Amino acid sequence: MFSPATRKPYLPSRTEGNLRHQSPSTPLPSIHNRSITGTPAPWTSSRLSVLARIPTVKKAEKGGDSDQIQPVYVGEFPQNVRNAQATLLQKNLSEDTVLAGGMDKGSSTVWMICGTELFIWSYLSGSVSKQCVVLEVPSSVIGSKDLYQKLLHSHNWIVCIVRWDNASSAKSELAPEKCSSLGIILCNRITQAIAYWPDIFTKSGTDPVVSLPTQFNQNVLISDDGKASEWNPEQIHIGNDYVSEDYRFNSMIAASVHGNHHECIAIACQSIGALWLFQFTPTEIHRRRICEDISAGASTSHSQSSKGYARALIWQSKHALSEKSGGHFLLLTNREIQSWSVMLAPIIDVAKLWAREIVGNDGDLGIKKDLAGQKSIWLLDMQIDEREKELSILVATLCKDRASSSSYTQYSLLTMQYKSNQLLSSSSEHSGLNSERFLEKKAPLHIIIPKGRVEDEAFLFSMRLRVGGKPSGSAIVLSGDGTATVTHYWRGSTRLYQFDLPWDAGKVLDASIIPSAEDSEEGAWVVLTEKAGVWAVPEKAVLLGGVEPPERSLSRKGSSKEGVAEEGKRSQTFGDNIVPRRASSEAWTTRDRQRPVLTGIAQGTVLDEEAEALLGRLFHDFVLSGEVESAFEKLKIKGAFEKEGETNVFVRMSKSIVDTLAKHWTTTRGADFLSSAVVSSLLLDKHQKHQKYLQFLALSKCHGELSLKQRRSLLIIMEHGEKLSGMIQLRKLQNMLTQQRSNLVASPPSTLQPQTAGSLWYLILLVGEKARRNTVLLMDRDNAEVFYSKISDMEDLFNCLYHHLQDIIDGEQPFLVQMQQAFELSNACVTVIQTAIRFRDEHKNWYPSPEGLTPWNSHLLVRSGLWSIASFVMVLLKEAGSIDVSVKSELGSQLEGLTDVLLEAYTSSITAKIERGEEYKGLLEEYTKRRDELLGALYDFAKRVVEEKYQHDSIGPHGGFSYFVFRQLIKSRQYAKLLRLGEEFQDQLASFLKERKDLLWLHEMFLNQFSAASETLHELALFVSDGSPLISEEDFDLARAKRLTSLAERRRLLNLSKIAAVAGKDVGFEMKIGRIDADLQILRLQEEIALHLFSNAEEQEINKPLPPGELIELCLKGGRDLSLKAFEVFAWTSSSFRSSNRSLLEECWRNAADQDDWLALSQASIAEGWSDEVVLGSLRGTVLFNASDQCYGPEAEVYEGSFEEILPLQKDHVRAPSLKDANSSVEQILMQHKDFPEAGKLMLTAIMMDKEGTNALAEDAAMAS
């Protein structure tokens, strides 16, 4: 808005490396209008890293708020836009001629015209590869080749975007990239040619309907058939070579017609005061002039010319027009505001309702009395706020300085509001110029720039106004030369913040606001640049980086008065040692310039920052050294224990640990992010660091101080650990669902599961999108990435569930799909809270006294989210009807879990209110009501399940004729006939054979239930006769029993189970196959051990599978030959078995060490002078070497985990403090061996040589010698 400082030329003192870092050179030669700074053209590469484009400054050299007052990168241009820019660049066309762009707030989309192509995409998507729609602008809309350059000028285009899905929902508001239907209107201001695309997201909607004016001043209805006809631009020649400025369209607005498919209307105004109406349908466009002179009947006795008489149009409401109520729009002229109504039925009728003079001496609305010495006044643009109650008008005034007799331009904002009990949608009875007034000034004229240079009208009329961004009440002014300035009235003075980047980003084409996730809040400002993509302006950038209004021009030309008057020091809003600065393009790279800070917080902020910096250094030193010397005293001196709650220094440090956003996550997007293991890894890293932080608090005695004086702060710190644990479990749950989705791709088509796979994922995206919009610094990140990083805001998960449950679970989907989606969401909620409660129980000694404290899972947001999903589940269970009992049972179990955590949340909240002495009766009444409803629903559900089971049993296999037939066939051992009956009586036989698994798996194979058959076979193969009814005793067949219980038969059953699991491809079938392979290996080992131990052939056959512990005990008794078998058994058991039998594993290592004469080996090596090769060769024959090779070697085969997790080889590899005991590693176990003092080096070499490599050990031995 005011001129940036002149860019400095090339300085020889700069190093070439620094130049390359700040702005790499562009490989293309001879670029038209290329900036001398060497900034790379945006089309020379794909998305450049934001960090690579911002000059590097050491953290110590930047102020505490330096990051917060810089623009934030939001998104790059799509690649096809970059390609189009490169093509135009090669043609040496002027950028002003071929490049135009804008932003649409309602749909959160960006449009850009490059040459003859119109590009449209959403700027809110965190992904670089956006879905970009490319539309070809018809040549008839552009005009003839002779007028190509002038008609294609960027200022000559108007684009209106019409949303067909105006419903306010999570899918439309929080996920605009999912917008499924948009109409586009493209208008050439000069020629008045119009193209209309009914729906750019459908194949048929991408063919434009074109309307061309047949005569320039036509005032009758024109109907077009949508086909481009030959058009001679000479028909509209006025003046030298193209239409006069008086006839150009200054503004156009469009709105959809509710209930009519892809139909809309548009209103356009001309400078001469004419209004035009356009009606759009998918097949044709109608146009007519509805008013020839909007000033008819009004006084025209004003001093300035009529040029630019009709300035701007805006709709009163953002909603679609309805045939019943129509709509209203406002028209800004050069002296007044006019209100017009649009009625759609029975025919479209547009009529003026009232007009209110602005440029006048009126005591209430006139602004002349507020402007001293004015010569001319221009009303430049007008906007209405989001609540549709306040109007903001940009005003420019030409004034004369009485002292110097020089002229200057003053820029102001006029804010008007509607009087109470008055509406814009006035009926026709209020029409006319003399009706009772509706508008009043909200505040005196707000001066933006008191004295600026005198500009021509072309520059003034190029200015545009935008309102509605953060901070509340701020506005942004866009000028035609490409500057954008945010103005904000704060603490009695105007503050200005000019958007600027430290490299040539081109002009600012347009500005908008990021739609807020909360209806009651404004969004952050976002701007569209010509070359550098889309950027956002954080709220703190305006508050902290704003400057006082300079006496500068609004253009880039500089001021004629520059250097004449010095800017006075207005230090009432700054610290004593800080002087307000002027903004410039060098603001980012100037290191010695201080920025203004907020009044009244300087001293407190400095102390807090010093305490937080000290805490960070002390914690860092503790992580490296484990020392906390004098940490408590140092922190107390700095005042670290003075604040309570979220502002506490220790809480802020904890929050920074759990909310850290990894920089390299941005390389993982969309589906790749789902399967990315780095997410889980970083969550675990955060968990370990937070646990380390808790240890630091305890050892430094800070924990005790917090538990006594800042109990709320300590509770928040512990709750960060709870939320982090819950997020880790939630990530595991999402990984499982992702695996399900990937398996479904290769499985036969399903009518249910693909639709249900993403309910939790969509909730994650919604929560992440809300966080991105509320924290503009995260706008360049992916939604899921933000969700998994903002751990401390776990309550938002439940808040989003409360507000958007009906959008996540579509009521139009099949009933079973809704049940499965509800199961997924409720399972996620219960998992998170139960994990948090488990963390709380495990760390109960760390928590402060709970009196009066409310845990996070008892907050209103969490209770509301839990109740929303619980009430939805209750409705589903009530309407379940004849749905499969197993499906209903799963959902019923989730309702039990929801009931448990929800009632616990209410209990904790009520208890805390009572302890604090607050009113609790209302909450208690709510708790009682919802408790009765939940328990009643559970009782009704249990009763229905019992009734259904009773009805099923009365006619099923235990109570019907089919059961009798099945029993008779079993008694007569006619198994083939029994299974053939299963072809007709599938469900009955499946239920009957549940207690006869030796036959059940065959029936399950017939039913193509391969996964179930695999489970049955696996269970049958490992069956041990202990009274379980796998085979009924009354149907006992000795021959079959012997065959089933032999080890060979068990191996066969396991192989069949493996084949069935592969055929089923159920969720986690790879893990199932791994377990089957492990069981096969254990059975093989059992046979080998039996063969070695028992010489009698009858004793060699051990019919039943022995537990792994018994097999290992046998190996320990079997001498040298079986000592290695013990380690093999351990390798094929589960990680939980190895962990719980660690002492047995230690005994195996002691036994292995006893199998060789280490003393003799050591003496022989010394006496005979063995070389390293001979020593290593001898060690290869020892049991210790082979055991180490089997367990820790590079080719070691271990099921589920590793030996290193349970018993590391070396004591230096021990990670957990609890494992640092006498037997925490294999090395420490061997140190207890009787021969270790003399042969310890050989023993350690034997266990390490295969892991470290013989060459490395030989080198170490050589160095030692």
Side-chain angles (χ1 to χ4, degrees):
M1 187 170 172
F2 44 85
S3 298
T6 305
R7 297 185 183 275
K8 294 182 179 180
Y10 178 85
L11 297 178
S13 60
R14 294 183 181 180
T15 64
E16 176 125 9
N18 288 337
L19 283 176
R20 278 197 301 267
H21 175 74
Q22 294 182 0
S23 54
S25 59
T26 306
L28 294 177
S30 182
I31 299 179
H32 184 63
N33 286 344
R34 171 65 187 275
S35 171
I36 62 174
T37 62
T39 302
W43 42 80
T44 59
S45 64
S46 59
R47 174 185 176 185
L48 295 174
S49 170
V50 180
L51 297 176
R53 291 194 262 182
I54 297 178
T56 56
V57 180
K58 293 182 179 179
K59 190 171 184 180
E61 297 174 327
K62 297 193 294 183
D65 299 309
S66 61
D67 291 337
Q68 302 175 12
I69 61 178
Q70 297 175 359
V72 176
Y73 180 78
V74 174
E76 174 65 286
F77 291 144
Q79 188 58 44
N80 45 14
V81 175
R82 289 298 192 200
N83 296 338
Q85 290 176 331
T87 301
L88 296 175
L89 183 66
Q90 294 172 359
K91 295 180 180 179
N92 292 324
L93 295 176
S94 170
E95 293 173 355
D96 288 337
T97 301
V98 298
L99 189 62
M103 310 182 78
D104 181 68
K105 174 184 174 184
S107 59
S108 301
T109 54
V110 172
W111 62 267
M112 183 169 285
I113 298 177
C114 296
T116 61
E117 291 180 314
L118 173 60
F119 302 89
I120 300 162
W121 72 95
S122 170
Y123 66 82
L124 282 182
S125 174
S127 175
V128 176
S129 57
K130 305 177 183 70
Q131 180 182 4
C132 180
V133 177
V134 184
L135 305 174
E136 185 71 26
V137 180
S139 58
S140 56
V141 177
I142 298 176
S144 67
K145 294 182 179 180
D146 296 336
L147 299 180
Y148 181 84
Q149 292 289 328
K150 288 184 171 134
L151 295 180
L152 203 58
H153 195 280
S154 60
H155 293 166
N156 294 336
W157 295 105
I158 299 177
V159 173
C160 297
I161 298 179
V162 183
R163 289 186 63 180
W164 304 119
D165 51 348
N166 285 319
S168 178
S169 65
K171 293 182 179 179
S172 59
E173 297 300 327
L174 281 183
E177 65 272 14
K178 300 292 185 180
C179 184
S180 59
S181 186
L182 287 179
I184 302 296
I185 299 172
L186 175 65
C187 175
N188 191 315
R189 295 177 186 264
I190 300 299
T191 67
Q192 302 175 13
I194 292 180
Y196 171 57
W197 289 267
D199 191 345
I200 61 174
F201 294 121
T202 61
K203 186 176 181 180
S204 59
T206 56
D207 296 328
V209 183
V210 178
S211 172
L212 305 175
T214 56
Q215 186 177 352
F216 184 69
N217 279 333
Q218 183 120 3
N219 56 5
V220 297
L221 180 68
I222 300 175
S223 299
D224 299 286
D225 57 3
K227 297 181 180 179
S229 58
E230 291 296 329
W231 173 63
N232 183 8
E234 297 297 331
Q235 296 176 354
I236 61 170
H237 262 213
I238 297 179
N240 294 330
D241 52 4
Y242 66 100
V243 178
S244 168
E245 289 289 326
D246 293 338
Y247 292 93
R248 64 181 279 126
F249 282 156
N250 281 344
S251 180
M252 174 181 282
I253 55 176
S256 60
V257 178
H258 181 71
N260 294 353
H261 185 63
H262 292 167
E263 292 189 12
C264 60
I265 68 168
I267 306 292
C269 64
Q270 290 177 292
S271 298
I272 58 175
L275 282 183
W276 289 79
L277 169 69
F278 297 87
Q279 300 170 252
F280 298 89
T281 69
T283 57
E284 57 186 359
I285 304 174
H286 301 272
R287 72 167 73 196
R288 63 185 172 99
R289 189 161 61 189
I290 53 179
C291 180
E292 187 171 354
D293 185 6
I294 57 176
S295 64
S299 173
T300 58
S301 59
H302 47 86
S303 60
Q304 60 193 90
S305 66
S306 61
K307 182 178 180 181
Y309 187 87
R311 291 302 315 138
L313 294 165
I314 57 172
W315 290 108
Q316 172 207 339
S317 173
K318 61 182 178 180
H319 300 292
L321 305 180
S322 64
E323 293 188 358
K324 182 178 180 180
S325 60
H328 297 80
F329 66 89
L330 298 178
L331 170 63
L332 179 69
T333 73
N334 60 346
R335 63 190 305 270
E336 65 184 9
I337 297 177
Q338 298 180 3
S339 175
W340 293 70
S341 67
V342 180
M343 301 303 297
L344 301 181
I347 60 173
I348 296 182
D349 179 56
V350 182
K352 183 192 293 185
L353 296 179
W354 49 261
R356 294 294 173 261
E357 187 179 41
I358 303 299
V359 182
N361 295 311
D362 184 277
D364 295 330
L365 298 181
I367 60 174
K368 279 192 174 182
K369 67 183 184 66
D370 298 330
L371 301 170
Q374 81 279 0
K375 296 169 59 177
S376 298
I377 301 175
W378 292 272
L379 304 182
L380 302 178
D381 199 5
M382 171 180 61
Q383 290 291 319
I384 191 169
D385 70 338
E386 191 69 19
R387 298 175 300 167
E388 302 170 356
K389 293 182 179 180
E390 295 182 2
L391 292 174
S392 297
I393 302 172
L394 180 62
V395 182
T397 309
L398 179 64
C399 303
K400 186 174 183 180
D401 192 319
R402 295 179 180 178
S404 62
S405 298
S406 62
S407 298
Y408 61 90
T409 303
Q410 177 177 289
Y411 298 91
S412 312
L413 276 180
L414 175 63
T415 304
M416 312 182 75
Q417 64 185 7
Y418 296 101
K419 293 182 178 180
S420 57
N421 302 324
Q422 299 289 353
L423 298 174
L424 262 179
S425 54
S426 308
S427 58
S428 58
E429 64 182 80
H430 294 296
S431 62
L433 298 180
N434 298 321
S435 61
E436 183 181 356
R437 296 185 172 183
F438 293 86
L439 292 175
E440 62 182 0
K441 286 183 182 177
K442 181 182 180 182
L445 202 63
H446 172 201
I447 297 177
I448 301 175
I449 293 185
K451 291 184 178 181
R453 69 173 288 144
V454 177
E455 306 283 1
D456 55 26
E457 286 190 336
F459 176 80
L460 294 178
F461 290 154
S462 70
M463 292 185 177
R464 291 164 291 162
L465 178 67
R466 301 288 184 265
V467 298
K470 290 183 178 180
S472 180
S474 63
I476 193 167
V477 179
L478 305 167
S479 60
D481 63 349
T483 60
T485 305
V486 182
T487 173
H488 178 52
Y489 189 76
W490 184 64
R491 295 193 176 185
S493 64
T494 300
R495 316 293 297 169
L496 300 179
Y497 178 91
Q498 182 180 12
F499 171 82
D500 199 13
L501 298 177
W503 67 89
D504 183 18
K507 298 178 180 179
V508 174
L509 300 179
D510 201 355
S512 182
I513 64 172
I514 298 173
S516 174
E518 305 292 341
D519 295 336
S520 59
E521 297 182 1
E522 296 90 352
W525 288 111
V526 61
V527 297
L528 170 66
T529 66
E530 193 177 39
K531 300 178 181 179
V534 181
W535 292 74
V537 179
E539 179 180 11
K540 288 188 178 180
V542 181
L543 295 176
L544 300 177
V547 299
E548 294 183 351
E551 296 183 6
R552 289 282 188 94
S553 166
L554 287 166
S555 70
R556 294 175 180 262
K557 303 173 185 177
S559 172
S560 60
K561 298 174 66 61
E562 185 175 354
V564 178
E566 294 185 359
E567 183 178 302
K569 294 184 180 181
R570 305 177 184 179
S571 59
Q572 66 272 17
T573 58
F574 298 91
D576 294 337
N577 61 339
I578 299 178
V579 178
R581 65 175 178 86
R582 292 180 183 270
S584 75
S585 62
E586 298 174 293
W588 287 21
T589 56
T590 302
R591 299 183 180 182
D592 58 350
R593 179 176 296 161
Q594 290 180 296
R595 296 184 181 270
V597 295
L598 295 175
T599 306
I601 65 172
Q603 187 66 22
T605 301
V606 169
L607 292 177
D608 290 344
E609 290 180 353
E610 289 179 356
E612 189 170 2
L614 175 60
L615 176 60
R617 290 195 300 270
L618 292 173
F619 177 57
H620 180 70
D621 294 341
F622 170 75
V623 172
L624 295 178
S625 65
E627 300 294 334
V628 292
E629 183 177 357
S630 303
F632 175 76
E633 292 77 10
K634 294 177 182 177
L635 289 168
K636 195 167 187 178
I637 293 174
K638 289 295 184 180
F641 297 94
E642 294 179 359
K643 292 189 176 181
E644 174 71 304
E646 297 285 351
T647 58
N648 182 274
V649 172
F650 296 96
V651 173
R652 288 160 60 183
M653 173 63 72
S654 175
K655 180 180 173 67
S656 68
I657 292 174
V658 299
D659 286 351
T660 298
L661 187 68
K663 295 180 180 179
H664 59 279
W665 281 18
T666 53
T667 59
T668 306
R669 299 286 185 182
D672 294 335
F673 185 87
L674 283 175
S675 57
S676 174
V678 72
V679 182
S680 301
S681 176
L682 289 175
L683 288 175
L684 291 175
D685 289 343
K686 287 185 179 183
H687 179 72
Q688 294 175 1
K689 188 173 183 180
H690 193 263
Q691 290 292 104
K692 198 75 173 178
Y693 181 62
L694 295 180
Q695 295 177 16
F696 167 77
L697 294 180
L699 295 176
S700 64
K701 301 181 182 179
C702 295
H703 178 272
E705 184 74 8
L706 291 172
S707 62
L708 291 176
K709 297 183 179 180
Q710 282 94 18
R711 293 188 303 121
R712 176 61 184 157
S713 300
L714 181 57
L715 177 63
I716 296 175
I717 294 173
M718 299 306 300
E719 286 179 346
H720 287 161
E722 297 177 11
K723 296 174 181 178
L724 186 54
S725 298
M727 187 66 78
I728 292 173
Q729 292 302 316
L730 188 64
R731 177 61 185 174
K732 292 181 179 178
L733 178 61
Q734 180 59 38
N735 284 339
M736 183 187 70
L737 296 173
T738 304
Q739 184 63 38
Q740 286 182 345
R741 213 161 23 244
S742 62
N743 290 339
L744 287 172
V745 174
S747 63
S750 172
T751 58
L752 297 178
Q753 291 181 340
Q755 305 175 43
T756 66
S759 56
L760 174 58
W761 177 243
Y762 193 74
L763 175 62
I764 290 173
L765 294 182
L766 290 180
V767 178
E769 179 66 17
K770 177 182 177 182
R772 288 176 67 235
R773 299 194 189 181
N774 290 340
T775 308
V776 69
L777 294 172
L778 301 175
M779 282 305 298
D780 65 333
R781 301 293 184 132
D782 187 79
N783 291 0
E785 178 184 347
V786 173
F787 171 81
Y788 282 114
S789 299
K790 301 288 286 184
I791 307 297
S792 62
D793 295 332
M794 178 67 77
E795 293 90 342
D796 287 342
L797 175 73
F798 301 90
N799 187 31
C800 194
L801 190 63
Y802 170 70
H803 285 96
H804 304 297
L805 179 61
Q806 300 303 322
D807 300 298
I808 299 172
I809 303 179
D810 191 352
E812 297 181 357
Q813 289 183 334
F815 188 78
L816 186 57
V817 172
Q818 296 182 48
M819 294 186 70
Q820 292 174 334
Q821 289 179 332
F823 175 84
E824 186 174 319
L825 295 176
S826 60
N827 188 26
C829 294
V830 173
T831 298
V832 168
I833 295 183
Q834 287 183 345
T835 304
I837 294 175
R838 189 160 51 250
F839 179 93
R840 193 177 306 163
D841 293 337
E842 294 172 354
H843 299 78
K844 57 184 177 181
N845 294 331
W846 290 80
Y847 281 76
S849 178
E851 288 81 8
L853 298 178
T854 304
W856 73 273
N857 59 298
S858 298
H859 292 173
L860 175 61
L861 293 179
V862 180
R863 298 199 314 267
S864 300
L866 290 173
W867 174 249
S868 64
I869 185 63
S871 56
F872 187 80
V873 170
M874 286 190 290
V875 172
L876 290 178
L877 289 177
K878 189 177 296 184
E879 299 175 356
S882 59
I883 298 296
D884 187 7
V885 176
S886 61
V887 177
K888 290 189 292 185
S889 298
E890 291 179 352
L891 198 57
S893 65
Q894 287 301 319
L895 182 59
E896 292 179 11
L898 288 170
T899 301
D900 184 35
V901 296
L902 183 57
L903 296 184
E904 175 64 25
Y906 270 105
T907 302
S908 299
S909 182
I910 294 172
T911 302
K913 282 182 174 290
I914 294 175
E915 293 171 345
R916 292 194 299 264
E918 298 176 359
E919 196 281 327
Y920 65 91
K921 293 183 179 178
L923 185 60
L924 179 60
E925 182 180 351
E926 180 181 304
Y927 162 74
T928 304
K929 179 180 178 181
R930 291 186 172 179
R931 178 200 61 191
D932 295 343
E933 189 170 348
L934 287 166
L935 296 180
L938 287 173
Y939 172 77
D940 293 339
F941 172 70
K943 186 170 67 172
R944 288 198 305 272
V945 170
V946 172
E947 291 175 352
E948 292 176 3
K949 188 176 185 304
Y950 174 78
Q951 295 175 358
H952 177 75
D953 290 345
S954 64
I955 61 174
H958 294 289
F961 178 73
S962 59
Y963 177 83
F964 173 78
V965 175
F966 297 155
R967 288 291 299 164
Q968 295 302 315
L969 291 175
I970 286 289
K971 287 181 178 181
S972 61
R973 299 186 177 88
Q974 300 184 50
Y975 305 120
K977 290 184 178 180
L978 175 66
L979 294 174
R980 280 198 294 271
L981 285 177
E983 299 177 7
E984 185 175 356
F985 303 98
Q986 297 179 2
D987 295 339
Q988 292 88 337
L989 184 59
S991 179
F992 175 80
L993 293 178
K994 284 182 179 179
E995 297 180 356
R996 294 159 179 82
K997 297 187 181 297
D998 58 324
L999 297 174
L1000 175 60
W1001 69 272
L1002 292 167
H1003 184 59
E1004 289 171 336
M1005 287 286 193
F1006 168 76
L1007 297 178
N1008 291 333
Q1009 298 176 358
F1010 300 111
S1011 298
S1014 176
E1015 291 289 343
T1016 303
L1017 284 165
H1018 198 174
E1019 183 178 354
L1020 186 62
L1022 302 180
F1023 160 69
V1024 178
S1025 180
D1026 56 357
S1028 56
L1030 285 173
I1031 304 175
S1032 178
E1033 293 183 3
E1034 59 186 81
D1035 304 324
F1036 187 74
D1037 186 335
L1038 181 60
R1040 285 178 54 81
K1042 286 185 177 181
R1043 187 169 66 252
L1044 283 175
T1045 55
S1046 66
L1047 292 183
E1049 179 65 13
R1050 293 179 189 276
R1051 287 200 308 274
R1052 187 182 73 86
L1053 293 176
L1054 284 175
N1055 286 318
L1056 287 175
S1057 176
K1058 183 177 178 180
I1059 295 172
V1062 173
K1065 288 187 179 179
D1066 204 353
V1067 178
F1069 79 95
E1070 295 93 346
M1071 297 179 60
K1072 176 66 177 176
I1073 293 174
R1075 183 63 262 173
I1076 295 173
D1077 287 336
D1079 289 335
L1080 283 169
Q1081 292 293 339
I1082 292 176
L1083 286 180
R1084 175 186 61 80
L1085 289 170
Q1086 179 175 330
E1087 287 185 311
E1088 294 177 0
I1089 294 170
L1091 183 63
H1092 185 275
L1093 289 177
F1094 307 112
S1095 58
N1096 193 322
E1098 294 180 357
E1099 294 179 342
Q1100 290 177 10
E1101 184 69 23
I1102 301 178
N1103 293 327
K1104 66 177 183 179
L1106 295 179
E1110 292 186 19
L1111 286 177
I1112 295 171
E1113 293 288 350
L1114 291 175
C1115 292
L1116 293 177
K1117 300 175 183 178
R1120 182 184 183 88
D1121 294 336
L1122 293 184
S1123 57
L1124 288 175
K1125 299 293 182 184
F1127 293 100
E1128 288 190 61
V1129 175
F1130 264 115
W1132 293 111
T1133 58
S1134 63
S1135 60
S1136 60
F1137 176 84
R1138 288 190 289 270
S1139 177
S1140 59
N1141 291 272
R1142 188 166 173 269
S1143 60
L1144 184 60
L1145 179 59
E1146 296 170 3
E1147 185 61 31
C1148 290
W1149 281 106
R1150 296 188 187 95
N1151 179 68
D1154 290 337
Q1155 302 305 315
D1156 294 283
D1157 190 347
W1158 292 100
L1159 189 59
L1161 276 176
S1162 178
Q1163 293 173 351
S1165 65
I1166 297 174
E1168 299 176 13
W1170 289 359
S1171 64
D1172 294 337
E1173 291 78 5
V1174 175
V1175 171
L1176 295 177
S1178 300
L1179 292 180
R1180 290 184 182 278
T1182 63
V1183 175
L1184 277 183
F1185 168 80
N1186 289 280
S1188 175
D1189 182 47
Q1190 286 184 6
C1191 300
Y1192 302 96
E1195 297 181 0
E1197 294 185 71
V1198 182
Y1199 172 74
E1200 198 178 74
S1202 66
F1203 281 92
E1204 197 74 39
E1205 299 172 356
I1206 308 301
L1207 192 66
L1209 269 178
Q1210 292 178 290
K1211 59 182 179 181
D1212 294 340
H1213 295 169
V1214 179
R1215 299 179 181 177
S1218 61
L1219 294 181
K1220 290 186 176 179
D1221 52 32
N1223 298 323
S1224 60
S1225 66
V1226 176
E1227 178 182 358
Q1228 290 176 298
I1229 294 173
L1230 295 180
M1231 290 172 65
Q1232 303 171 29
H1233 195 270
K1234 59 182 178 63
D1235 294 339
F1236 190 84
E1238 291 79 12
K1241 184 177 179 181
L1242 289 177
M1243 299 172 74
L1244 294 180
T1245 303
I1247 63 172
M1248 295 301 301
M1249 60 186 295
D1250 196 57
K1251 183 177 181 181
E1252 300 293 340
T1254 56
N1255 293 334
L1257 291 173
E1259 292 175 1
D1260 293 342
M1263 293 178 63
S1265 61

